[in-house]
Amino acid sequence: MDKSKYSQAVLDIIKEAHQAAIKNQNVEVTDLHLMQAILRQPDTEIARVLTEMGIITKALSLELEGAIEKLRSAKGVSSLYVSRSYQRALLIAEEISRNLYEAFVTITHLFLALLREEDMATAKLAELYELSYDRLRKELVRRWSSSFATGISEEALKTLSKYGRNLSKEAQEGKLDEVIGREEETGSAIRILSRRIKNNPVLIGEPGVGKTAIVEGIVQRIVKGDVPDPLKDKIVFALDMTALIAGAKFRGDFEERLKQILEIIKNSNGKIILFIDELHNIIGSGNTSGTMDTSNILKPMLARGELLMIGATTIEEYRLHIEKDGALDRRFQKILVEEPSEEEAISILRGLKTRYEHHHTVRIADPAIIEAVRLAKRYLTERRLPDIAIDVIDEASALVRMYRDERPRALEELHRNLVQLEMERISLKKESDMASQYRLEELEGKIAALAEEFTGMEKAYQAEKERQTEMARLRRDKELLQLQIEEAKQNHRFAALAELLPVLEETQASLLKLEAVKEYFPLPTEVGLEEVKEIVSKLSGSPKHRLEANQLSHIAEIKERLQRKFVGGEEAIEGILHAYIRARSGLLRRQKPMGGFLLQGTSGTGKSYLARLTADYLFDGEKSLITLDMSEYTDKSSVTKLIGAPPGYIGHEQGGNLTEAVRTKPYSVLLFENVDRAQREVLGILRQLLTEGLLTDSRGRQIDFKNTMAFLTVSLSEEVGNERALMERLPAELVQAVDGCYLLEGFDLPKMELLVDLRLHQLAEELAEGHVRLEWTDEAAALLAKKACGSGMGASLLNRIMEKEIVTLLSMKSFDGQLADFSAVRLFVNADGKLEIGSADA
């Protein structure tokens, strides 16, 4: 068997047939195994053709299973052989492929081969269901030479297929996803295509809103005949500009290829509709010195009505490229495709759910779909529905499949332990002393018990995987049978209905039987809320536990932790938490950040520290904190540092410090330090951020700040620490835009004592990581508080004192080797009234 002659799909079928033979303990792989493997494949051309012919594929599959069970299984045979019928089927498939001038043997060729020889077991079984080689061949010929090819030669279609895709053929084969909703846009496109002149629609919308999907929906309606008469039996061909340009080495090669395609379309007398995705690419493509680009070649044909074309592009690209060329712009009729609402996106995902379930062999729960749309809309604001919600569901399904297919952690750990013991046994066998022999004997018993446990767990894991795969296949068969039953009812085919109903009952019974079986091994099989939250967390940078709906129940605990970590500022903490609750409740639609706060106070009162604590407890830690010192934004040009330089200036492609940081990590805490030192234009940007929640960067992109929390700090001296002084230093519009303005007062002695206790506990925790225990006396803590209090520097002076009088002494002891691991030190006040560090045991 020459594998190079077979398509990958056929090689997969052959592999599955071999696995089925091993599973059933058959000594040979036969033609029956091949046919069973083909019928078990979802969404193949053969499966669709057989369904349209009225063949009950599930009944045929059950008949095949019965025939395979009757095959003899010789005991003691360890090798797997191939039968003569298996070899004949592959040889006949190669012959059919050659006769049709195909490059590879496909599943269709192999299935025809299994029916051609009447003495083969597969042909005899298929005959019981009125399926024969001649009947199937005629049906395939009818489909291949259907009305879509009327007036268009096979050579012309092959030429077109070199430079694009035949979307009509793909729709016939069921390769295009079903389109849910979008009736208005689809109707507009069909109406424009039916016009006599200027009948070229162009779909314009943001990336991800479903422009290409609308075109695929139009193609499916044309295939079904659900369009006006002028559009019936037309082919939609998607042009691939990359394939058209690739390999065009010499001047004129590109134009020659394009003219060849356009001549085919022109000679088809309107039977071919040209679809160009990313329509803006026709501007300048193929243009070299002294040649014309694609748009100039297309314009005359569009003007004369010789070319029927659908385009799709984004609003920005259309404005930048197409609108500049007025002659090209007036030949298109614009259709604006807007982002669907959350309800519409949920409907779209429900329609696509079956496709993703079949692909990943998982079940997607309906709450997971609703949560995917809700979280994608809220946390992944850079991209549009339904594309981003589909990506979330697809990746969550892949996550569940990965967890199911990879070896479970418990099994892997057991295997590692077994290997470790085996290595130890090999080493002990080389020793001859009594202790080693005794240990070896004990080890033999352990290895035997562990090997037995591992074998049992491995068998349970494989059995559960097979059960889940079989359940997924039965669910797919059940859905197909239900569709066939509905079709039989509509067409009053009662004889077929009588055959289908018993098969459906048998399939349901088999499925219920498997579902009733207690799982052999715990394996994930359903895409639920947890998987969706995990994917959204990875894509948005927001921690998973922050997406939990019940997080609001922990607000009291968070408040207690913040008050324990931050001395003073109870009013500010209360305001921050209230703003967070308002934002997270989802009661009202927000058009601004989760919260904006102006913190003023003398140096060392903890303004920046409060923002860091907010990032730790309400966001994803310090990595979600974006800090900008507004002392660096003191001139008019500083605005470009925030939102990016305008086109033509140095650094235009780099983006702004603020907009790029939030665009890549939209769930962040923004800390603007020393905001009173910033230039007035910069403050205007901050006011817009706080009031509207949106900024437009230098590249025209809208950056969403709705999932951020902003802190603006102002350092005041003691004599001007009041609201009137603040109003004089900042524009009134900015002060009014924040949700709360809080004054963090300096530390008196009681507060400083609390701060000292907090800092000493933090220092003790850090030292504990190095296995050093720190203790201190009340007199030492009181002395530290007295030294730091009254200077006006607050926490800054305390940190400096602790570094100088505690950390430095500890570092010197460690440097001299006096501070060993698991030692304990004690901070106390000596007879001279100074801080001293000694052994805790002394």
Side-chain angles (χ1 to χ4, degrees):
M1 172 183 164
D2 186 359
K3 289 185 179 181
S4 63
K5 294 180 180 179
Y6 296 83
S7 68
Q8 186 58 49
V10 173
L11 292 174
D12 291 341
I13 291 290
I14 292 170
K15 180 182 176 182
E16 190 171 334
H18 282 247
Q19 289 173 346
I22 293 168
K23 182 182 174 183
N24 288 284
Q25 298 180 344
N26 301 132
V27 71
E28 286 183 329
V29 187
T30 67
D31 54 327
L32 294 170
H33 295 104
L34 286 172
M35 182 172 275
Q36 185 191 42
I38 292 172
L39 292 177
R40 286 193 168 195
Q41 294 296 312
D43 299 329
T44 59
E45 185 183 9
I46 278 296
R48 287 185 290 272
V49 171
L50 294 178
T51 303
E52 289 180 10
M53 290 170 66
I55 305 298
I56 305 171
T57 53
K58 179 62 181 176
L60 178 56
S61 185
L62 290 172
E63 194 76 39
L64 283 165
E65 285 180 20
I68 289 170
E69 286 177 5
K70 293 175 185 176
L71 293 175
R72 64 184 181 85
S73 299
K75 293 182 179 179
V77 178
S78 58
S79 300
L80 184 66
Y81 301 93
V82 292
S83 67
R84 287 179 60 82
S85 59
Y86 169 92
Q87 293 173 323
R88 281 170 63 197
L90 294 183
L91 289 172
I92 294 167
E94 290 180 18
E95 182 188 336
I96 292 171
S97 175
R98 283 195 304 271
N99 292 339
L100 292 172
Y101 301 102
E102 296 285 353
F104 298 102
V105 176
T106 64
I107 294 176
T108 304
H109 303 148
L110 183 57
F111 198 84
L112 283 168
L114 293 168
L115 298 177
R116 200 176 83 171
E117 301 297 323
E118 294 180 359
D119 60 330
M120 288 177 72
T122 48
K124 291 175 182 177
L125 277 179
E127 195 64 45
L128 298 175
Y129 294 89
E130 299 180 355
L131 176 62
S132 64
Y133 172 80
D134 290 332
R135 186 185 172 199
L136 179 59
R137 184 173 168 276
K138 285 176 183 176
E139 177 62 23
L140 289 169
V141 169
R142 186 191 69 77
R143 286 169 64 89
W144 290 335
S145 58
S146 61
S147 58
F148 287 109
T150 304
I152 305 170
S153 66
E154 197 68 31
E155 291 78 10
L157 288 175
K158 283 188 176 180
T159 301
L160 288 176
S161 64
K162 290 180 185 176
Y163 306 113
R165 296 159 52 206
N166 186 341
L167 295 181
S168 298
K169 185 179 178 183
E170 291 182 15
Q172 273 188 314
E173 295 172 354
K175 292 180 180 178
L176 302 182
D177 286 343
E178 187 179 356
V179 179
I180 313 295
R182 298 297 194 185
E183 286 81 7
E184 185 179 345
E185 292 88 348
T186 304
S188 298
I190 290 173
R191 186 183 68 248
I192 292 167
L193 286 168
S194 302
R195 288 177 52 165
R196 189 176 73 86
I197 58 171
K198 293 186 180 180
N199 49 0
N200 305 297
V202 57
L203 302 168
I204 304 173
E206 294 295 333
V209 297
K211 301 182 293 296
T212 307
I214 290 172
V215 176
E216 292 179 355
I218 294 169
V219 174
Q220 291 176 42
R221 287 183 61 170
I222 291 173
V223 169
K224 292 175 184 175
D226 185 20
V227 287
D229 288 342
L231 293 181
K232 285 182 179 176
D233 300 339
K234 289 191 183 293
I235 293 177
V236 180
F237 171 73
L239 184 65
D240 183 357
M241 295 300 298
T242 307
L244 200 62
I245 295 171
K249 301 176 185 176
F250 303 104
R251 181 182 296 181
D253 282 358
F254 169 78
E255 291 87 342
E256 188 177 341
R257 291 178 183 179
L258 185 58
K259 288 297 287 182
Q260 184 183 13
I261 290 171
L262 296 177
E263 281 299 319
I264 292 171
I265 295 172
K266 180 181 175 182
N267 294 335
S268 72
N269 197 23
K271 278 204 151 320
I272 298 177
I273 299 173
L274 186 66
F275 169 54
I276 300 180
D277 204 357
E278 307 296 338
L279 182 67
H280 58 274
N281 286 334
I282 68 173
I283 305 291
S285 57
N287 184 14
T288 56
S289 178
T291 62
M292 298 172 67
D293 65 5
T294 307
S295 62
N296 288 320
I297 297 172
L298 291 175
K299 272 190 282 190
M301 295 187 71
L302 291 169
R304 293 192 297 268
E306 296 172 348
L307 183 63
L308 200 58
M309 190 166 87
I310 305 173
T313 187
T314 64
I315 297 170
E316 183 180 356
E317 297 291 354
Y318 190 88
R319 186 178 69 248
L320 288 176
H321 298 98
I322 309 294
E323 279 187 354
K324 286 182 180 178
D325 189 340
L328 184 64
D329 179 39
R330 69 185 182 86
R331 286 166 171 80
F332 291 107
Q333 301 298 315
K334 295 185 281 292
I335 299 173
L336 184 62
V337 182
E338 295 187 357
E339 183 180 17
S341 64
E342 289 188 25
E343 292 75 17
E344 290 170 335
I346 290 169
S347 299
I348 291 169
L349 260 70
R350 281 173 177 155
L352 296 173
K353 181 178 81 165
T354 306
R355 287 255 179 176
Y356 288 94
E357 285 181 333
H358 289 175
H359 178 80
H360 295 286
T361 59
V362 297
R363 287 188 70 250
I364 300 173
D366 194 66
I369 288 175
I370 297 170
E371 193 75 354
V373 173
R374 187 183 70 82
L375 294 179
K377 180 70 175 175
R378 182 167 186 173
Y379 293 103
L380 302 169
T381 54
E382 184 66 19
R383 293 176 59 186
R384 301 289 180 268
L385 294 176
D387 179 63
I388 183 58
I390 292 170
D391 284 356
V392 168
I393 286 293
D394 194 7
E395 197 163 339
S397 302
L399 183 71
V400 171
R401 185 173 186 173
M402 182 186 75
Y403 286 153
R404 187 192 65 206
D405 290 349
E406 67 182 8
R407 181 181 277 190
R409 193 169 296 173
L411 199 61
E412 190 66 37
E413 190 174 341
L414 202 61
H415 179 259
R416 280 199 301 270
N417 292 340
L418 192 59
V419 170
Q420 187 177 349
L421 292 177
E422 289 281 1
M423 294 301 294
E424 189 178 350
R425 181 170 69 172
I426 292 169
S427 299
L428 288 171
K429 278 185 176 180
K430 297 176 182 177
E431 306 298 331
S432 57
D433 59 286
M434 291 295 292
S436 297
Q437 292 302 314
Y438 177 77
R439 170 64 181 156
L440 180 61
E441 187 179 340
E442 186 183 42
L443 202 62
E444 295 281 1
K446 265 189 184 180
I447 289 173
L450 206 60
E452 187 179 351
E453 184 185 353
F454 176 77
T455 305
M457 194 180 288
E458 178 78 24
K459 284 181 179 177
Y461 167 62
Q462 294 297 337
E464 182 60 22
K465 271 188 73 174
E466 289 176 9
R467 186 178 80 94
Q468 296 293 349
T469 304
E470 186 65 17
M471 284 168 60
R473 187 180 66 80
L474 287 170
R475 288 192 190 104
R476 192 166 58 235
D477 291 343
K478 179 183 170 183
E479 289 174 6
L480 180 60
L481 286 167
Q482 287 172 337
L483 289 173
Q484 287 179 305
I485 287 170
E486 288 299 319
E487 190 265 338
K489 284 179 181 177
Q490 289 177 1
N491 297 325
H492 305 289
R493 294 171 51 238
F494 298 111
L497 199 61
E499 294 178 8
L500 285 164
L501 288 172
V503 179
L504 177 61
E505 289 176 7
E506 188 176 347
T507 304
Q508 284 177 327
S510 301
L511 181 58
L512 288 171
K513 185 179 177 182
L514 280 175
E515 287 177 339
V517 173
K518 186 180 178 182
E519 62 179 13
Y520 304 106
F521 195 91
L523 283 179
T525 58
E526 183 175 272
V527 178
L529 299 179
E530 290 299 315
E531 289 76 22
V532 167
K533 286 173 183 174
E534 186 169 343
I535 296 302
V536 173
S537 172
K538 291 181 188 299
L539 294 177
S540 67
S542 162
K544 183 183 172 184
H545 64 276
R546 305 298 184 207
L547 307 179
E548 302 289 345
N550 63 356
Q551 195 205 353
L552 294 177
S553 63
H554 302 311
I555 287 295
E557 183 184 343
I558 293 171
K559 181 180 179 181
E560 184 186 345
R561 288 182 182 177
L562 281 171
Q563 288 176 340
R564 198 164 58 239
K565 287 276 188 180
F566 190 82
V567 177
E570 288 80 6
E571 186 185 355
I573 291 172
E574 191 94 10
I576 291 167
L577 291 174
H578 284 173
Y580 183 76
I581 292 170
R582 288 195 300 270
R584 287 300 311 274
S585 68
L587 189 62
L588 300 172
R589 287 188 175 274
R590 289 185 298 109
Q591 297 299 328
K592 61 178 189 174
M594 298 169 73
F597 308 99
L598 185 57
L599 306 178
Q600 55 176 322
T602 56
S603 178
T605 51
K607 301 182 292 297
S608 302
Y609 182 59
L610 183 57
R612 280 196 290 274
L613 285 177
T614 302
D616 282 338
Y617 288 106
L618 297 179
F619 289 76
D620 195 18
E622 286 209 16
K623 63 182 179 181
S624 64
L625 180 66
I626 299 169
T627 304
L628 296 173
D629 189 345
M630 304 313 288
S631 303
E632 300 174 5
Y633 299 83
T634 55
D635 53 61
K636 285 189 176 183
S637 63
S638 299
V639 174
T640 61
K641 295 181 184 178
L642 289 177
I643 63 173
Y649 285 77
I650 294 173
H652 166 58
E653 295 298 326
Q654 295 176 1
N657 296 338
L658 175 62
T659 52
E660 279 301 302
V662 174
R663 191 176 73 85
T664 54
K665 201 169 183 61
Y667 198 83
S668 300
V669 173
L670 308 177
L671 174 57
F672 300 100
E673 294 186 317
N674 303 312
V675 72
D676 54 314
R677 300 179 188 176
Q679 215 276 337
R680 301 286 291 191
E681 276 77 2
V682 174
L683 296 178
I685 290 288
L686 297 186
R687 187 196 62 78
Q688 182 184 344
L689 182 158
L690 291 167
T691 54
E692 298 179 16
L694 289 173
L695 284 183
T696 304
D697 68 3
S698 59
R699 300 173 67 179
R701 296 174 302 198
Q702 280 200 328
I703 312 301
D704 195 337
F705 287 81
K706 293 187 183 69
N707 294 315
T708 64
M709 191 173 278
F711 289 86
L712 287 67
T713 71
V714 177
S715 294
L716 301 174
S717 59
E718 290 186 0
E719 62 272 11
V720 295
N722 56 65
E723 191 172 346
R724 181 178 295 176
L726 178 68
M727 296 293 287
E728 290 173 0
R729 300 172 72 176
L730 290 175
E733 297 87 355
L734 180 63
V735 178
Q736 292 165 6
V738 297
D739 295 308
C741 182
Y742 302 105
L743 176 64
L744 301 182
E745 296 178 350
F747 296 97
D748 54 15
L749 188 58
K751 284 185 179 178
M752 184 58 74
E753 287 174 348
L754 291 173
L755 185 61
V756 166
D757 187 63
L758 176 64
R759 289 287 190 266
L760 286 172
H761 276 96
Q762 288 176 344
L763 180 61
E765 287 175 10
E766 291 176 15
L767 290 171
E769 293 177 4
H771 309 294
V772 175
R773 190 173 84 250
L774 174 67
E775 298 175 0
W776 60 90
T777 63
D778 292 339
E779 291 81 5
L783 181 60
L784 276 173
K786 195 177 293 184
K787 282 187 174 185
C789 189
S791 67
M793 295 181 65
S796 302
L797 181 60
L798 176 62
N799 292 338
R800 195 179 304 167
I801 292 170
M802 288 182 66
E803 280 189 3
K804 183 179 178 182
E805 301 195 17
I806 302 174
V807 178
T808 303
L809 292 174
L810 287 170
S811 301
M812 290 175 68
K813 285 179 177 291
S814 175
F815 197 71
D816 292 340
Q818 300 176 30
L819 203 62
D821 284 349
F822 305 103
S823 60
V825 293
R826 185 164 173 264
L827 178 67
F828 62 96
V829 180
N830 62 17
D832 297 332
K834 295 182 179 179
L835 290 171
E836 190 173 329
I837 294 176
S839 174
D841 301 327

